[in-house]
Amino acid sequence: MLARTRMLAALTGAVTGVTLVVGGAAPATATSGGSGPAVADIRTGPADGPTDPGAFIASYVPPDPVPRGPAEVRMPASYPYQPRLRVFPPAERDATDRNRTASHADLAPRLQRLMERSDRVSTQVVGQSTEGRDLYLVTVTAPESEVETARQAGWRTEIRDRPNLAAHDSALRSGYKTPIWMTANIHGDEWEGTDAALRVIDRLATADDRATRETLSRHRIVFSLTLNPDGRTHATRSTSLGLDANRDMITLATPEARSYVRTLQAVQPLLAADFHGYTDVLQLEPAGPPHGENYEYDLLLPHGYAIARQVEDDVVAADIAGNTYYDPGTDRVVEKDTGFVKIPYRDTPSGWDDYPPVFTAQYAALHGAVTTTVELPLGRTGATTTPADSAVDTEVAVTAMTSMIDYVHRSSDAMLADQVETFRRGVAGAPKVALTTENVAGVPGPDEWKRHWGTTDDQEPVRLPRAYVIPVGEGQRSASDAEDLVYTLLFHGIEVGRLDAPARVPGTGTTYPAGSYVVDLHQPLRGLANALLGLGSDISGKVPGMYDISAWSLAELWGATVDRVGVTTDGPVGRTTRLRAPVEHGGAVPGERYLRFDLAGVADHRALNDLLGQDVAARLTADGGVVVGPDGRDAARAAADRYGVDLEASTRAAYRAAEPTEDLTIAYVGDQDDRLALTALGFDDLVAVSAGGIRTSAAVGRPTGLEGADVLWVGTALDLPPGSPGHAYVRSWLRDGGAIVGRGAGAFAAAKSYGLVSGTAVTGDEAGNGIIETDTPGDVLGDHPQDRGFVYPAVWFTDVGPGTTAELTYGSFLAGHWSSSGDGPGPEAASGRIAAVSGKIGHARAFVFGTSVFFRTHPRGGLSQAGTAIHWAAG
């Protein structure tokens, strides 16, 4: 206890200031490690990014929307690893100037100076932000030789892949340096976790007391200083794409989220703590119900809750001037020391769910880490926190980090045993035991948390399949979506195999062809695999509301056919070979002069739009395909290789019978979801318009943005009153062959105001979200139909008249949270209703979705439906 007290006092002391003068040195190659600091010139980084993140979205062309291949961060061969870091020039208008926190431009010089002072500090660049700022991973540990680092890497792999061996490996138990990972600033306008990390790193790097030396000999303490440096600079919660990276751990649409996943896999932490703000009083997860079905809570909650309690005690004992406290009697924040901060699991039983793994901490828990989200107390005044409040928040965060490091140091053996057990259950295919009020008393370890476990906390029972099979051939709805799904699974670290020969599943009559993909749930990350691919549950009756989305299945929403096979105690599904490299792009190209491919998935739409952008004469067939002639054959082969599209032989007759199409210009009214989803589909001629801009420009005869556009996509609303110049302008544009396509009640209102559709749009509970059955009675989407959709919220159409065609209808609500007692109709009101409509008058066409086809670019099956609707409407 005395050593712990000294360490806590030392780590919460003042940081030594560091400065560095940057000269005009030439770039140099980073070193790979060594026994001491590398002293070298520092490279200069790129110029500062835009000060208006909204403007950035309009010019940004994202990389491939699917992460290709396994995630990988190459860890150092020895410690310290001290490369030259490039220095980024100060931003002209940096939000950190207002609260006096560290700017991103400060980080490289400070880290370089720390590496010069200490052989305990290592720094890696583990990716770049959307605007190109480096993402730093700092490791503080006792120096290691290459032999020792290799031994540590071998043990880390043994824990994950051979947990039975690890559980009995005495050398591992005594010699493994268990990793502790602190991350900060994934929300860019929540600054102080970064500054706290710098203070803790500084102290760990220089302290010479016995407690610090012992801690660094037994652990690697790892810090991600800022997960969102662009938002840090611009004072935005989101990244510069307008997306919240702390909602992106499943979809991986942002480079910031991809870097987090890569780093998590490389570090494999025992504890992962993510620092946020602001909730008026320090708030420490573990979070409240509903609890996700795929977590091993008996291994996570004992230490997770005990860590929260220790941090509470240590922060209260620190008596930080200006800090706030929680009064459990009144559920209010007070200035008087009550002895409490807020622990949602204990204090907010239905307010802070930990159900969806889209957040950092909840995602990391599926990798065997005990996790916590830390919300710092004192919030923003205007755009930023004040310097005084930032100082308090930083002090609170330093105390919390130090307390957590101490807890893991004292409890490392038990926590490591639990991490090994997490992986063992996965590899063994052990049946999943739900944690309930019936068995919670028998969970070993710290037990104060048990008295707060109630019936609403109970995990839903999970009947794990033996495997998920992604078939190839005729049984696959979209070969390209299937390939993209496999890429994404590999990036998440999920083991995927391919059938070496056809495999028949006993009792089903189903035979899967050779080459089909098999995700066997006998694997270390089986909880993550099932979370990614399983349908989920309808949890509408468990809690009154949810903090974020409540269903996210890649198997149900990403356009590919995925079958759930057997139960976890069954034998394997055929003989497979594990994929060690990315799956093959496309296939053998036929020798015929005319080629075709299905227009079924997102990659197919990207390939089509690529060809059209090259002025290739690509035509759309009546059965949902694309045909190109001899002049486009080479371009089609290149596109097939680029996008993973399977080409088939076609004929001249099929080409002549197909409908010509062209490279489309799309004007759009919407947000970042609309822009990014359209870009992901390969539409590159995009023009942002607004109702106000059209109204004003039409009134004075200026260009509106619709000139030259083939389609107007409406993602939000288009408020142009009938009789106004703007409304008249759009009507004239439609008569000339324009089209309206979009999502939700706003798009329906726009199409209805021009007589393209009729009826009434009904919006369900605004908070209701999840996976719902769909049927395809219409023709537009009928060639490659899908039987699931995502809604947030659901919109449906009633009282439609002649000329308005039902293209999709809703069935049962399957998974998510959509309460019948919410602020709007419940799921029973949507069942059997129309979920998408089309209509046309003369040359003008309209198509409107009631499903949330572009939500955070996540439901990729919805993206391909939208692409099909756009090309139909432009026809």
Side-chain angles (χ1 to χ4, degrees):
M1 177 61 78
L2 180 60
R4 175 188 163 207
T5 304
R6 288 173 177 168
M7 182 181 175
L8 182 66
L11 283 174
T12 54
V15 66
T16 302
V18 290
T19 58
L20 184 64
V21 177
V22 181
T29 303
T31 60
S32 60
S35 59
V39 180
D41 295 311
I42 304 178
R43 295 182 289 145
T44 300
D48 179 45
T51 56
D52 176 12
F56 185 83
I57 299 171
S59 61
Y60 179 75
V61 178
D64 193 316
V66 172
R68 298 287 172 183
E72 183 176 86
V73 165
R74 296 187 64 182
M75 301 300 282
S78 63
Y79 287 90
Y81 173 78
Q82 298 181 321
R84 303 176 182 93
L85 301 175
R86 58 177 175 173
V87 172
F88 289 72
E92 183 178 345
R93 292 184 295 277
D94 196 314
T96 61
D97 292 340
R98 284 170 271 174
N99 58 17
R100 299 177 192 167
T101 56
S103 71
H104 181 267
D106 293 334
L107 298 183
R110 293 180 71 163
L111 292 171
Q112 201 77 41
R113 181 59 62 88
L114 278 167
M115 289 189 290
E116 291 174 359
R117 294 167 60 203
S118 175
D119 62 359
R120 300 171 180 176
V121 180
S122 302
T123 303
Q124 299 165 252
V125 174
V126 291
Q128 279 75 40
S129 69
T130 301
E131 292 182 10
R133 294 180 173 87
D134 285 343
L135 303 174
Y136 302 111
L137 184 71
V138 180
T139 301
V140 188
T141 195
E144 297 173 14
S145 67
E146 290 192 8
V147 171
E148 176 60 23
T149 300
R151 187 168 70 141
Q152 293 292 326
W155 278 334
R156 187 171 63 249
T157 300
E158 180 181 316
I159 289 166
R160 184 189 64 237
D161 295 343
R162 298 181 298 279
N164 273 329
L165 178 62
H168 300 92
D169 189 334
S170 58
L172 184 157
R173 291 198 305 274
S174 62
Y176 182 54
K177 297 172 75 172
T178 50
I180 304 166
W181 189 28
M182 305 288 179
T183 60
N185 201 211
I186 195 166
H187 289 150
D189 58 354
E190 298 166 5
W191 289 270
E192 291 79 11
T194 300
D195 294 78
L198 288 168
R199 282 181 51 177
V200 175
I201 292 167
D202 184 270
R203 172 64 186 130
L204 290 171
T206 58
D208 196 35
D209 58 281
R210 178 179 176 181
T212 301
R213 291 196 304 271
E214 183 182 348
T215 296
L216 296 182
S217 70
R218 292 186 54 195
H219 307 279
R220 289 181 185 164
I221 306 176
V222 186
F223 301 84
S224 291
L225 293 182
T226 166
L227 297 171
N228 180 8
D230 301 343
R232 183 179 190 83
T233 303
H234 304 311
T236 59
R237 177 184 177 90
S238 66
T239 73
S240 288
L241 290 183
L243 297 175
D244 187 334
N246 200 40
R247 306 291 185 274
D248 191 35
M249 294 304 139
I250 298 299
T251 304
L252 302 176
T254 63
E256 292 84 357
R258 295 185 188 192
S259 176
Y260 181 91
V261 169
R262 290 187 187 103
T263 306
L264 171 64
Q265 293 174 18
V267 173
Q268 198 171 293
L270 217 56
L271 169 70
D274 196 25
F275 282 73
H276 289 252
Y278 306 96
T279 48
D280 296 329
V281 65
L282 176 63
Q283 181 168 282
L284 301 154
E285 311 296 348
H291 294 303
E293 299 95 337
N294 293 292
Y295 296 105
E296 306 290 346
Y297 280 109
D298 61 318
L299 304 177
L300 299 175
L301 262 175
H303 292 290
Y305 185 82
I307 287 170
R309 283 286 291 109
Q310 176 170 308
V311 172
E312 178 178 58
D313 289 346
D314 288 342
V315 168
V316 169
D319 193 23
I320 298 166
N323 194 25
T324 55
Y325 301 90
Y326 175 64
D327 183 349
T330 63
D331 190 32
R332 300 179 69 176
V333 176
V334 296
E335 294 180 1
K336 180 182 178 181
D337 183 352
T338 63
F340 293 94
V341 299
K342 199 165 192 177
I343 301 175
Y345 172 79
R346 178 191 67 194
D347 302 321
T348 314
S350 62
W352 288 79
D353 64 88
D354 62 359
Y355 191 69
V358 298
F359 313 118
T360 50
Q362 280 66 35
Y363 182 85
L366 293 168
H367 286 257
V370 172
T371 63
T372 181
T373 300
V374 181
E375 301 279 354
L376 298 175
L378 305 185
R380 290 174 286 273
T381 301
T384 65
T385 49
T386 66
D389 286 350
S390 282
V392 174
D393 284 340
T394 301
E395 195 71 34
V396 170
V398 168
T399 306
M401 289 181 184
T402 306
S403 180
M404 291 175 188
I405 293 168
D406 171 75
Y407 182 93
V408 177
H409 180 61
R410 291 184 297 107
S411 308
S412 184
D413 291 348
M415 294 176 71
L416 177 59
D418 286 347
Q419 185 177 66
V420 171
E421 173 63 11
T422 298
F423 294 133
R424 187 206 66 79
R425 292 176 185 181
V427 171
K432 182 73 176 68
V433 178
L435 187 62
T436 71
T437 52
E438 300 296 320
N439 59 19
V440 67
V443 176
D447 61 3
E448 182 184 334
W449 63 276
K450 296 176 185 177
R451 66 187 183 210
H452 303 294
W453 189 273
T455 55
T456 57
D457 296 69
D458 284 357
Q459 286 183 284
E460 293 298 309
V462 177
R463 183 176 178 269
L464 291 170
R466 172 64 202 227
Y468 290 94
V469 179
I470 306 168
V472 298
E474 293 183 0
Q476 179 53 250
R477 193 203 75 86
S478 170
S480 64
D481 280 343
E483 183 176 296
D484 284 350
L485 175 57
V486 171
Y487 271 121
T488 302
L489 292 172
L490 290 174
F491 192 92
H492 279 290
I494 304 304
E495 296 176 2
V496 182
R498 297 196 82 173
L499 285 175
D500 298 331
R504 185 176 184 277
V505 179
T508 67
T510 301
T511 298
Y512 291 104
S516 294
Y517 303 103
V518 178
V519 181
D520 193 323
L521 288 199
H522 287 217
Q523 62 170 287
L525 298 182
R526 67 102 177 260
L528 177 60
N530 200 55
L532 291 172
L533 295 171
L535 172 65
S537 304
D538 181 356
I539 57 171
S540 305
K542 290 186 74 80
V543 292
M546 291 287 286
Y547 187 56
D548 201 67
I549 63 170
S550 309
W552 52 84
S553 172
L554 307 189
E556 303 290 342
L557 298 174
W558 275 38
T561 301
V562 182
D563 294 340
R564 180 186 173 104
V565 176
V567 297
T568 190
T569 53
D570 288 345
V573 181
R575 187 178 68 253
T576 60
T577 297
R578 183 176 172 182
L579 282 174
R580 298 288 183 179
V583 295
E584 301 88 351
H585 262 342
V589 178
E592 282 78 2
R593 301 176 68 219
Y594 292 87
L595 299 173
R596 68 155 280 152
F597 59 89
D598 285 337
L599 192 61
V602 172
D604 306 323
H605 282 277
R606 289 169 66 81
L608 169 61
N609 286 320
D610 189 338
L611 294 173
L612 295 175
Q614 300 177 59
D615 295 324
V616 172
R619 297 187 169 211
L620 304 180
T621 68
D623 62 348
V626 177
V627 181
V628 297
D631 292 343
R633 190 174 185 278
D634 289 343
R637 294 182 64 171
D641 181 64
R642 184 176 303 119
Y643 300 108
V645 170
D646 292 327
L647 294 174
E648 302 172 354
S650 189
T651 63
R652 183 171 182 269
Y655 178 79
R656 291 174 64 87
E659 179 181 351
T661 189
E662 60 184 16
D663 190 23
L664 300 179
T665 297
I666 300 177
Y668 72 96
V669 179
D671 57 20
Q672 69 281 349
D673 287 3
D674 300 289
R675 172 89 194 184
L676 294 172
L678 291 167
T679 303
L681 286 164
F683 295 108
D684 55 3
D685 296 323
L686 302 178
V687 181
V689 298
S690 67
I694 293 172
R695 281 196 305 268
T696 301
S697 298
V700 298
R702 291 201 304 261
T704 65
L706 289 177
E707 296 79 13
D710 302 286
V711 173
L712 173 60
W713 174 270
V714 180
T716 50
L718 188 69
D719 183 16
L720 297 173
S724 68
H727 191 274
Y729 182 90
V730 175
R731 183 179 294 280
S732 175
W733 175 77
L734 287 167
R735 285 173 179 164
D736 289 340
I740 292 176
V741 185
R743 57 187 176 101
F748 186 82
K752 182 179 178 179
S753 72
Y754 298 101
L756 293 170
V757 297
S758 63
T760 301
V762 180
T763 301
D765 177 20
E766 291 285 350
N769 69 90
I771 300 169
I772 191 169
E773 289 179 329
T774 58
D775 193 19
T776 312
D779 294 331
V780 176
L781 306 177
D783 292 320
H784 305 287
Q786 302 183 55
D787 57 6
R788 301 287 188 268
F790 182 76
V791 292
Y792 197 174
V795 175
W796 57 93
F797 312 106
T798 64
D799 304 321
V800 300
T804 301
T805 301
E807 299 288 351
L808 285 177
T809 57
Y810 287 126
S812 299
F813 185 67
L814 301 174
H817 189 281
W818 182 1
S819 174
S820 299
S821 59
D823 295 330
E828 67 283 346
S831 182
R833 298 293 190 175
I834 299 172
V837 294
S838 67
K840 55 186 176 180
I841 297 176
H843 295 295
R845 297 184 179 187
F847 195 106
V848 180
F849 291 93
T851 51
S852 303
V853 289
F854 280 178
F855 181 78
R856 299 179 187 166
T857 73
H858 169 63
R860 293 177 60 83
L863 265 67
S864 61
Q865 288 178 323
T868 297
I870 287 169
H871 277 288
W872 171 84

